Structure formats: structure tokens, C-alpha cells
Amino acid sequence: MNRILIAEDEERIASFIEKGLRANGFVTTSVGDGDSALELVRQGGFDLVVLDIGLPGRDGFEVLRSLRAEKVSTPVVILTARDTVTDTVAGLEGGADDYMTKPFRFEELLARVRLRLRAGEAVPEVSVLTDGTVSLDLRTRRATVRDRTVDLTAREFLLLELFLRHPDQVLAREQILSHVWGYDFDPGSNIVDVYVRALRKKIGADAIGTVRGMGYRLG
């Protein structure tokens, strides 16, 4: 399993990223300052770093410059609230492998993490997710049920993708909220139940089961 270091001083965002990555099979470690991040990456053992720019102590730019000056080639995905061209160029020229601005959806971060981990590997990208009679083409964003095309909204697409990537796993409502709606979700909302019902109408009433007191599971 790939090990990822999350260097983010906002606890809410760090927790959001960590829960999402762990749910997708990654091993994570979180730190909240630049000095700790630099020391851990120097020690080795991480396959990728998610690095916030606005860290206390050494900021993300300083950490990145130090790592690259020391010939540490661990892939780095930068997170920042700064969205100017100057900051983007500074991050990439400083040795970052990718750059994301806040706020962001977890699915986009996950896609970028997977892309950087695949770099240099001859591993074909999965483009179609299938479980039973349900298929989802990630490139065309088209769903089919028993060879019948089903139109999905953007949120329904993300929800179905999440279920198809975890076919045997019970997904809690909070986990679904964080993946599909991002880290600004309202934990008291019933939006997940609403969308699950809508998705059932489109792909089959028995396609998504309710695990009472826990959440939902595909199949």
C-alpha cells in the first residue's frame, strides 16, 4: 500500500483528506507544520506528499525547495488558498508535481494523487467500473444498466463511482458526504439519503442496500 504524508495545519481539512485517502486504501500520516513535514520526508518511506503552502514554521515553498535541493524526488501535490499565476508558477518551478487550490473536491485530489503515483509505471488506467449489471465509463461519464444508458447528474455520477470503487464496503453517510460534497458538508443533512433514493430509481431498487445504523453498500 502507498504511504502518503499530509502536511496541512487546518485540522478539518487534514482530517477530510486523511479519511478519504484511507477509505481508498492508502496509509496516511498527518503533520501540521513545515519542519515536521521536512524531517519525515527526509527519513523516507513516503510515496507522495500532499503539502499545504501556508504551514507554520517553514511554509510549503520552503519545504519543497529544501527537498528538491537535497535531491529528494518524492512526488509532491501542493494545496493552497493562493490562486494567482505567480504562486502557481512558483510552486511548479520549485519542484511540485501538481498544484491544487482550495476549496477542492476530494475526487479531484484523489485523481491527481493516483496520477502522480502511476507516473513512470506501465499500469493501464481503469476507465470503466462494473459491478453486476451496472457499468460506469469514467471517460464518457456514461452509466449503463443491462446495456441501457442511464442519465446521471454530476452528484449522482460521483456517488455511483464511489459505490463502484468500494463494492463490498459499507459506506457511512459522513464518508459519502465528504467524498461527494467536499469538506464543507453539513453532517446533519439528509442529502445522502435523497441522492441514494434517486440513484436507486435509475439503476435499480436493489442495487444499493441499506445497512441499518451504519450506511449504504452496493449490492
Side-chain angles (χ1 to χ4, degrees):
M1 290 186 290
N2 293 115
R3 292 192 62 205
I4 298 179
L5 176 66
I6 302 164
E8 168 61 66
D9 64 319
E10 291 189 50
E11 186 175 342
R12 180 172 58 99
I13 297 177
S15 176
F16 164 70
I17 297 172
E18 191 161 30
K19 287 178 181 177
L21 290 176
R22 287 182 176 177
N24 282 275
F26 296 99
V27 177
T28 62
T29 299
S30 293
V31 293
D33 65 275
D35 292 318
S36 298
L38 181 58
E39 182 59 30
L40 284 176
V41 181
R42 280 172 172 165
Q43 293 173 13
F46 290 99
D47 299 292
L48 183 139
V49 182
V50 176
L51 180 65
D52 179 44
I53 291 299
L55 293 173
R58 297 174 189 260
D59 69 14
F61 285 137
E62 291 183 79
V63 172
L64 185 58
R65 283 194 296 268
S66 296
L67 291 174
R68 297 311 186 227
E70 296 169 18
K71 308 301 181 184
V72 177
S73 59
T74 306
V76 174
V77 177
I78 281 181
L79 296 179
T80 181
R82 308 173 190 176
D83 59 358
T84 66
V85 173
T86 301
D87 285 325
T88 302
V89 171
L92 295 174
E93 289 189 345
D97 297 89
D98 214 331
Y99 194 101
M100 290 191 64
T101 57
K102 302 174 183 176
F104 59 89
R105 286 192 304 104
F106 177 77
E107 283 69 24
E108 184 179 357
L109 174 62
L110 179 62
R112 291 174 186 245
V113 166
R114 285 174 168 157
L115 178 64
R116 296 308 159 192
L117 290 173
R118 279 199 305 269
E121 298 179 7
V123 179
E125 181 180 357
V126 175
S127 61
V128 179
L129 301 174
T130 303
D131 187 82
T133 60
V134 181
S135 294
L136 187 66
D137 191 314
L138 302 180
R139 291 177 178 169
T140 65
R141 301 182 74 82
R142 180 175 299 169
T144 58
V145 180
R146 298 183 179 88
D147 298 323
R148 173 177 57 88
T149 300
V150 177
D151 292 326
L152 299 177
T153 66
R155 298 290 189 189
E156 289 169 349
F157 177 89
L158 293 173
L159 182 59
L160 182 55
E161 180 186 1
L162 179 62
F163 278 122
L164 287 170
R165 289 191 183 278
H166 304 85
D168 300 316
Q169 181 178 336
V170 177
L171 301 176
R173 286 178 177 81
E174 181 179 323
Q175 184 180 353
I176 295 172
L177 278 166
S178 67
H179 274 70
V180 179
W181 280 269
Y183 52 82
D184 285 325
F185 66 85
D186 175 5
S189 171
N190 71 337
I191 193 70
V192 170
D193 309 280
V194 172
Y195 270 80
V196 167
R197 285 197 296 269
L199 194 55
R200 281 172 173 158
K201 290 180 180 179
K202 294 185 176 183
I203 68 173
D206 298 329
I208 303 171
T210 301
V211 182
R212 195 170 299 278
M214 297 180 66
Y216 296 101
R217 178 170 54 199
L218 187 67

